Amino acid sequence: MDSVRRLRRRDARLVPVAAAAWVAAAFATLQPGAAVPAAAGLWIAAAVIVALTLRLRGRWRGSGALAAVVLAAAAGVCTHVAVSLPAREAAAGLPIDGGRLLTVEVTAVGKIERSADGWRFDGALHRALLGGRGSDETPFGGAGVPVLVRLPGATDGARGSGKAWGDGDGDDAGGDDGALTESVDAPVIDPAIDLGAELRLSGTAWRADPGEREVLVIDASGPVEVLSPAQGALGVASALRRGLVAITSGLPPPGGGLIAGLAVGDTSAVDPALDTAMKTSSLSHLTAVSGANCALVVALAFGAAALCRARRGVRVLAGLGALTAFVVLVSPEPSVVRAAAMAAIAMLGILLGRPGAGLSLLTAAVVVLLLADPWLGLSLGFALSSAATGALLVGAGPLADGLARWMPRPLALGISVPLAAQLACGPLIVLISPQLSVYGVLANMIAAPAAPLGTVVGLAACLAAGIPLLGSGLGALAWLPAAWIAGTATTFASLPGTVVDWPEGFGGLAALALLGGAVAALIVPGHPRLRAAATLTIAAAVGTAVALGPISQALTRAGIPTAWAIAACDVGQGDAVVVRSAGSVALVDTGPDPAPLGRCLDELGISHLDLLVLTDFDLDHRGGLDAVRGRVGTLVHGPTSGPSDVRVLGDMAAAGAKLNLAGRGMTGVLGDARWRVLWPRATTAPGNDASVVVEFRGGGVPTSLFLGDLSAAGQQAMKADAGLLASYEVVKVAHHGSADQDAALYTRLRPAVALITVGENDYGHPRGVTLTLLTTSGARVARTDREGLIAVWRDAEGLRLWHARADTAPADGGRSPGPPPPGRAVAPAG
């Protein structure tokens, strides 16, 4: 036992070195101006410690050496930031304000992935040309400057032409297209635009936040020219990934779209509904290539070399070669490079005959990676990957020992692995999504046997994609474990109470970390007082959850005015507005996620929708459909753009909804009110400018107009012949308050209340120019991101507005001042 403890102490010796490197990376990237003096000071301190250590004897000498290594690691990280600072400052200093056109030449250094508004990739900026004048050209030598490039998507006609054409909504400079378009059948992008390709594009840009790896965020506004496609190994990897997606695209969904994600981390074919289910059931990590995938690849290569009776050095080289090829194939994501570095260090240990313990390998990998890329220090993906690995190395064993007191040892081992990962990663995950997966551990236990099988067979199918019959046959075999995982995800996601809300931000992180520690202390054998404290902590957490859950919801329901006619739900960056008349209820869009929509409808006491209007099929308008499936009478929708949209409608029809394609002039009744579709025309092409625009009036409902995601051009086309009323009391502002608005339309509408349904976003929604436009026209701006649930109705005193919480933000940039205290505010609008 003493020898095991000594080994564990040696295993943890590099932990302070990794911690120092991580802290230095966060500091230097957030405060790059301080990187130079910090690096100088740390190097001097390390030298002084080394000089003093040489004079010491015994254990003090070892402590001094460790302190010197800690300081040197931190100094190395700061030095990297300092060396890169001149090029980054030159890029940040480009005169890009005011939407000035920027033409750039970049190399794609990351996978081309679907994003909120089309596609995105990490790039290295080599040359910038401002305003189309050669005299304004700025070259960036060496490896280039990191940038994030966003493409709005490409038309089919661009495929194979060497150019990709955007079909975005023509938003303003700064590219505030916030539509969460995640349809697997969205317009394709030129396959030549891939990792390693050299590209030229034009667009607008703005500076990224401090601490971000990218210096600029560039939104392409026109064609993307491929100067040189991916060459060599990167070109082969690109072709293999595309081949795997091609041979699995015809397999039954949703499992077919999951194969490429399991094998090579390519989630482009994953259905958005499955993606949501995977996140809800805590299975999304299976499509993020990480340590498990790298371990499988290295083990296969090492084992194959061993079967051939190769010497140890050859086995190690085989493992390292396979690992390098795998990283190139899947692209160097944070979790991949962390796992690859750890595996490479392990291979080196085997080659030298001194295989290190797991925690030493992890901490060494962290230090190496932070020295090579300090911006990983603020990457949540890198933190999640490291935390999960550390939890498995340190926590799974003790948890299994504790659980084995109450159950068979094999079952305890099966539970301890996902439990350790969830306890470690949960506090970080709430920074992304403030909710907990109730069935996450059980879902991972059920999916675990299928994950390695799907990865290995899927990877074999990828490598054999170009071989007739063999590639497709392996793809069909990989479908079985992929379908098992997809079925597990959708089953658990559909169970009642699958997620519970959790406080957001760093307060939520600290609270969940404390609760996780209490759970671990209760399971792992320890001092009785510690277990008693853990029991009290868990009991207090349960009591708090009950108070903030059912009791809080009951109080919220009691505080909502019973006379409301229009209610804008706080569903994040998305639209979901409820209209009610004489007991009949309509919902305009469902927001991006079922959970917040379900909570809102519960608070409003709504169990059935007589009418559901989907203004378009972007995720921020239909992502919450699962919350109302089977509860919809009539569904009015805009034009579809592909098979995935058709599947969405088919699922709703199968659940009992009557489908109607929206067209200008369509009318209907909602209780005592009437609704009318003002847009689109029958000939309008799918997209933001084909958003369904619907009007409600009469029956106790204030005259209201919902503008979907129309751009300024779409608004102008709509108002030309829509037969608008003289004015509207309530207008749902188009596209979350983006700057792409037709000022003349809002002057024409003269709204008393301007509803902006918006959440946290990277697009600057709502834009200051739009807020100024609305307030100067006399509208009372009501925002769901600041005021929560918003209700509007009319009584004998006029138009009334209520909101769940106060807007405490300063009244600047055209923003409306904060309303009265939450839960009580009933004041005339406008």
Side-chain angles (χ1 to χ4, degrees), residues 392-607:
L392 297 181
L393 293 171
V394 176
L399 287 173
D401 293 340
L403 291 171
R405 294 176 295 168
W406 306 309
M407 61 187 69
R409 181 74 182 182
L411 180 59
L413 288 171
I415 295 176
S416 66
V417 172
L419 179 59
Q422 184 146 326
L423 290 177
C425 296
L428 295 173
I429 293 175
V430 297
L431 294 177
I432 307 173
S433 178
Q435 60 185 29
L436 301 182
S437 175
V438 175
Y439 308 115
V441 172
L442 182 57
N444 274 275
M445 290 178 60
I446 294 175
L453 183 60
T455 298
V456 173
V457 180
L459 186 58
C462 180
L463 298 176
I467 304 175
L469 298 180
L470 179 60
S472 58
L474 289 170
L477 289 176
W479 178 84
L480 294 173
W484 175 265
I485 294 171
T488 301
T490 53
T491 298
F492 280 100
S494 63
L495 294 177
T498 187
V499 294
V500 295
D501 293 333
W502 192 261
E504 56 186 337
F506 287 99
L509 181 150
L512 188 55
L514 177 62
L515 179 60
V519 171
L522 191 62
I523 295 174
V524 177
H527 195 280
R529 291 184 179 178
L530 181 62
R531 298 187 65 191
T535 302
L536 290 175
T537 300
I538 295 172
V542 172
T544 303
V546 172
L548 297 178
I551 295 177
S552 177
Q553 290 178 3
L555 293 175
T556 300
R557 284 195 294 270
I560 298 173
T562 58
W564 69 268
I566 299 174
C569 294
D570 180 12
V571 294
Q573 180 73 357
D575 288 357
V577 184
V578 185
V579 182
R580 183 180 66 173
S581 174
S584 296
V585 178
L587 174 65
V588 182
D589 292 322
T590 68
D593 183 61
L597 177 63
R599 289 193 296 271
C600 180
L601 296 179
D602 288 343
E603 290 173 355
L604 295 172
I606 295 170
S607 59

Side-chain angles (χ1 to χ4, degrees), residues 380-397:
L380 195 55
F382 183 70
L384 284 169
S385 176
S386 301
T389 304
L392 297 181
L393 293 171
V394 176

Side-chain angles (χ1 to χ4, degrees), residues 26 84 273 311 426 462 718 819:
S84 66
R311 299 170 63 179
C462 180
M718 182 273 297

Side-chain angles (χ1 to χ4, degrees), residues 223-328:
V224 177
E225 181 181 357
V226 179
L227 301 177
S228 174
Q231 304 291 329
L234 292 176
V236 173
S238 175
L240 288 173
R241 289 195 301 268
R242 293 198 306 271
L244 178 60
V245 173
I247 64 175
T248 57
S249 60
L251 296 174
L258 193 59
I259 296 172
L262 294 173
V264 296
D266 187 340
T267 58
S268 61
V270 176
D271 185 84
L274 176 60
D275 181 62
T276 300
M278 295 278 288
K279 293 175 180 175
T280 300
S281 54
S282 289
L283 294 176
S284 60
H285 64 91
L286 296 179
T287 58
V289 178
S290 59
N293 305 74
C294 290
L296 280 172
V297 170
V298 171
L300 289 173
F302 197 88
L307 289 175
C308 296
R309 298 185 178 181
R311 299 170 63 179
R312 183 172 61 184
V314 176
R315 298 178 193 179
V316 171
L317 289 176
L320 289 175
L323 179 64
T324 302
F326 181 67
V327 171
V328 172

Side-chain angles (χ1 to χ4, degrees), residues 38 81 326 454 645:
V81 176
F326 181 67
D645 296 350

